[in-house]
Amino acid sequence: MAYSEKVMDHFANPRNVGEMPDADGIGEVGNPKCGDIMKMYIKVKDDTITDVSFKTFGCGAAIATSSMATELVKGKSITDALTLTNKAVMEALDGLPPVKVHCSVLAEQAIKAALSDYYKRQGIDPEPIVGTIPECEECSFEEG
Amino acid sequence: MSRFVYADNAATTKLSANAFEAMKPYLTEYYGNPSSLYHIGVETRKAVDNARADVAKALNASKPNEIYFTSGGSESDNWAIKGAAELGAKKGRKHIISSKFEHHAVLHTLEYLEKHGYEVTLLEVHEDGLVRPEELEAAIREDTALVTIMFANNEIGTIQPIKELAAIAHKHGVLFHTDAVQAVGTVPVDIQDLGVDLLSLSSHKFHGPKGVGALYIKKGIRLPALIHGGAQERGIRAGTENIAGVVGMAAALKESTEHIPERNPRLEKIRDKLIDGLLTIDRSRINGDRKSRLPGNINMCFQGIEGESLLLMLDMQGVEASSGSACTSGSLDPSHVLLSIGLPHEIAHGSLRLTFSDDNTEEDVDYILEVLPPIIERLRSMSPLWEKIIKENNENI
Ligand SMILES: Cc1ncc(COP(=O)(O)O)c(C=O)c1O
């Protein structure tokens, strides 16, 4: 598997792993059928993400992109976190094999899902701010 | 203590030292074309003939000239199936029966034939990874040209009742091919006893060199050529012979076949120790029948984790294995083999295949039993799927 050293580092030593019991927002994306689920927890104070953590079921790239995404939004303002793209996650990891690009997409969506949940809990409609998070973008299964 | 454990022998094996020694002269001084008359050509002709005789003997084929050398298992499968399809079509028979969990060399060949007017029936392999002879019998039609069922599965190692299946095909006048790539050199394969018409094998699965294999074609079956050209292989498989390759294959096959009586009981013992040990892990399962199984095959699922991350972590501990997860199959779906035995996607993603050869020892098993459970625990501790499974207290798989 042609993973970069950075990917292997974040896979072997993932940053910010674990549940967060007092999270202000929790987002979950992906689907067990596809083989990856990412769950992100955020703590927000004064519009700043003061803490973030994740739990991921998935391949090496899924774990590494989750880890990197948490690093990229930690300590950032919500507005900055909303601009996180999958491309930024990939670049920070020195690239991903083409078949793994969808993992970085999931990581971006997981952060957005956690922010949506945060807005909802504040009584704010997240859609105009965060946009819609597509179901599971890579997979469209025919059931049966 | 760390260790290097190669446990992916179903993918490929290490070249045997004896095979390598046997090959060397044909990579250096004996470079003559076997089709030539002069001395160095005669030497290579002899080497090819001897290799053919050795392969025929190891498989108990009735004649050396029933063995045709090819570039490997994929070519042998393509040739056998496309050739038999062509023979069938001449008699108006354009139906082929196979099974759901064949290697892609068979399944994709059948898909190709479906696009060219053939009909294909794929038999179920059931939860134990075995086809049912009565279901084969029921599937045979007037226009069935070929039955092709693999001897042993490359992922879950289950061994089919080939002799019985071949007899059913013959009762109805249908040709029988078996992809025996995982079986030859690993378990006893006696062609005359099995009664098959066509059989594929591949050298790199039994410690021979890569890129060489053979197709057994029973005397009297006039299989059309797949590779057209020169007169090699009795005019039906053109191309200057891979002399070092066939010599190495023959040497490796002889060696691995001779070792079966002492090797297999030993491998079965360490295989069963590993399976029993891994089954003590919460929510784990063994895939495929435990008895009718290759001696070195272990295929397990661990709920709540994904196979590729498991392989990467095992690799960090020096254990080389494989998985049927989507991420390792290079597609969105997990392995068709695991789906064919009825596993749901989310469980199939958490599969691990360990395949042993003569080089593996009980120390390897002890080492795997030491390093694997903590890896599974670690991956589960970071898995939201595992969290859900525990919360919902789903039944064990
Ligand atoms: C059951 C089976 N059939 C066919 C093949 C293809 O053989 P080869 O790699 O020699 O083309 C393999 C090996 O991957 C196999 O395991």
Side-chain angles (χ1 to χ4, degrees):
Chain A
M1 176 59 64
Y3 280 140
S4 70
E5 259 174 56
K6 276 240 176 80
V7 171
M8 284 312 291
D9 176 37
H10 276 260
F11 168 71
N13 313 293
R15 328 296 200 253
N16 314 307
V17 174
E19 278 165 65
M20 193 188 284
D22 57 344
D24 296 319
I26 301 176
E28 187 178 302
V29 295
N31 154 345
K33 221 178 158 183
C34 299
D36 31 37
I37 306 174
M38 290 183 192
K39 197 168 177 179
M40 296 274 183
Y41 306 80
I42 52 169
K43 188 106 197 105
V44 179
K45 205 174 168 206
D46 302 331
D47 285 341
T48 297
I49 298 177
T50 53
D51 200 8
V52 53
S53 70
F54 80 93
K55 280 182 92 172
T56 289
F57 157 77
C59 62
I63 290 171
T65 52
S66 310
S67 167
M68 183 52 91
T70 60
E71 285 285 273
L72 291 175
V73 299
K74 200 174 184 174
K76 296 275 162 65
S77 70
I78 291 185
T79 353
D80 278 354
L82 279 169
T83 63
L84 177 79
T85 61
N86 78 299
K87 219 168 145 245
V89 175
M90 279 209 302
E91 276 165 12
L93 286 168
D94 293 339
L96 284 174
V99 293
K100 302 291 187 181
V101 172
H102 78 277
C103 292
S104 65
V105 175
L106 269 186
E108 174 196 323
Q109 288 169 356
I111 295 286
K112 295 204 163 125
L115 287 166
S116 287
D117 184 53
Y118 167 73
Y119 281 120
K120 266 188 223 149
R121 293 188 194 195
Q122 306 298 307
I124 302 165
D125 178 11
E127 251 209 70
I129 312 164
V130 185
T132 49
I133 294 154
E135 262 300 286
C136 180
E137 82 132 30
E138 277 285 320
C139 331
S140 43
F141 287 106
E142 294 145 43
E143 285 290 341
Chain B
M1 200 191 58
S2 99
R3 235 181 130 81
F4 175 76
V5 180
Y6 180 71
D8 202 14
N9 288 280
T12 197
T13 57
K14 182 178 167 183
L15 183 64
S16 113
N18 287 333
F20 183 48
E21 282 308 315
M23 292 168 77
K24 272 186 191 164
Y26 303 97
L27 294 164
T28 50
E29 68 247 56
Y30 293 117
Y31 52 82
N33 192 316
S35 302
S36 311
L37 288 173
Y38 39 72
H39 174 69
I40 57 169
V42 172
E43 283 302 324
T44 52
R45 159 63 42 213
K46 265 195 235 155
V48 172
D49 290 346
N50 288 340
R52 201 184 308 282
D54 286 346
V55 171
K57 188 161 168 246
L59 301 171
N60 193 29
S62 60
K63 296 216 163 51
N65 63 19
E66 293 175 315
I67 304 297
Y68 293 80
F69 293 130
T70 67
S71 65
S74 301
E75 184 189 328
S76 296
D77 286 342
N78 269 264
W79 186 14
I81 296 168
K82 289 174 187 166
E86 199 179 317
L87 288 178
K90 281 189 194 151
K91 298 190 219 144
R93 295 172 161 210
K94 297 187 82 174
H95 175 236
I96 302 173
I97 300 171
S98 187
S99 81
K100 284 201 169 156
F101 74 169
E102 297 293 314
H103 190 271
H104 284 143
V106 169
L107 287 181
H108 290 171
T109 301
L110 294 174
E111 279 168 26
Y112 168 84
L113 288 172
E114 273 182 315
K115 288 199 198 106
H116 290 79
Y118 288 82
E119 260 187 84
V120 174
T121 301
L122 297 180
L123 300 175
E124 294 290 335
V125 289
H126 300 265
E127 207 209 329
D128 55 11
L130 298 168
V131 301
R132 301 291 182 263
E134 60 276 16
E135 290 177 18
L136 168 60
E137 182 129 38
I140 294 178
R141 313 192 314 211
E142 288 281 295
D143 63 339
T144 304
L146 173 73
V147 175
T148 170
I149 292 175
M150 72 197 312
F151 197 122
N153 184 267
N154 46 304
E155 287 186 38
I156 60 174
T158 49
I159 299 174
Q160 305 297 336
I162 293 300
K163 188 175 175 176
E164 195 180 342
L165 299 172
I168 292 168
H170 289 158
K171 194 169 103 189
H172 297 272
V174 178
L175 285 177
F176 190 90
H177 166 251
T178 186
D179 172 344
V181 167
Q182 291 288 337
V184 168
T186 302
V187 291
V189 175
D190 179 329
I191 283 181
Q192 291 187 70
D193 179 55
L194 292 169
V196 298
D197 301 302
L198 301 154
L199 179 144
S200 304
L201 63 108
S202 176
S203 155
H204 72 102
K205 306 289 187 181
F206 49 80
H207 304 276
K210 294 167 184 40
V212 56
L215 179 65
Y216 160 82
I217 307 175
K218 192 178 184 169
K219 203 175 139 239
I221 296 169
R222 307 195 63 80
L223 203 71
L226 181 68
I227 312 282
H228 301 271
Q232 294 90 353
E233 304 300 301
R234 312 184 82 211
I236 57 172
R237 201 286 187 180
T240 300
E241 295 85 343
N242 177 0
I243 300 145
V246 302
V247 167
M249 169 164 73
L253 181 57
K254 189 161 180 278
E255 186 178 21
S256 56
T257 310
E258 280 169 7
H259 287 175
I260 287 175
E262 55 88 23
R263 180 188 66 223
N264 287 9
R266 187 181 71 76
L267 285 185
E268 281 165 10
K269 194 166 149 256
I270 64 171
R271 172 198 69 188
D272 291 342
K273 180 176 180 182
L274 183 52
I275 292 174
D276 289 333
L278 294 178
L279 281 175
T280 64
I281 295 172
D282 189 21
R283 289 176 170 80
S284 61
R285 56 163 282 142
I286 169 88
N287 299 314
D289 192 65
R290 279 195 70 166
K291 281 210 196 78
S292 195
R293 184 180 199 94
L294 291 175
N297 177 290
I298 295 108
N299 191 308
M300 313 271 304
C301 282
F302 304 100
Q303 243 184 311
I305 61 172
E306 192 279 331
E308 190 208 85
S309 43
L310 181 57
L311 295 188
L312 291 170
M313 288 202 175
L314 275 174
D315 184 29
M316 290 178 202
Q317 303 288 335
V319 179
E320 320 274 78
S322 81
S323 166
S325 79
C327 280
T328 53
S329 70
S331 74
L332 294 174
D333 284 324
S335 122
H336 69 285
V337 172
L338 298 176
L339 298 179
S340 77
I341 60 166
L343 292 186
H345 280 64
E346 52 271 36
I347 290 174
H349 286 303
S351 81
L352 173 69
R353 179 186 75 177
L354 297 150
T355 43
F356 290 153
S357 77
D358 218 357
D359 297 333
N360 294 101
T361 61
E362 188 161 3
E363 284 74 51
D364 291 343
V365 165
D366 293 338
Y367 180 68
I368 293 167
L369 285 172
E370 183 190 315
V371 298
L372 187 53
I375 291 174
I376 290 169
E377 199 172 311
R378 170 145 188 246
L379 289 170
R380 280 176 171 174
S381 76
M382 58 167 110
S383 163
L385 180 59
W386 180 247
E387 188 185 312
K388 249 180 232 147
I389 291 163
I390 292 301
K391 217 172 269 166
E392 290 164 11
N393 197 17
N394 286 352
E395 270 175 41
N396 207 340
I397 49 175

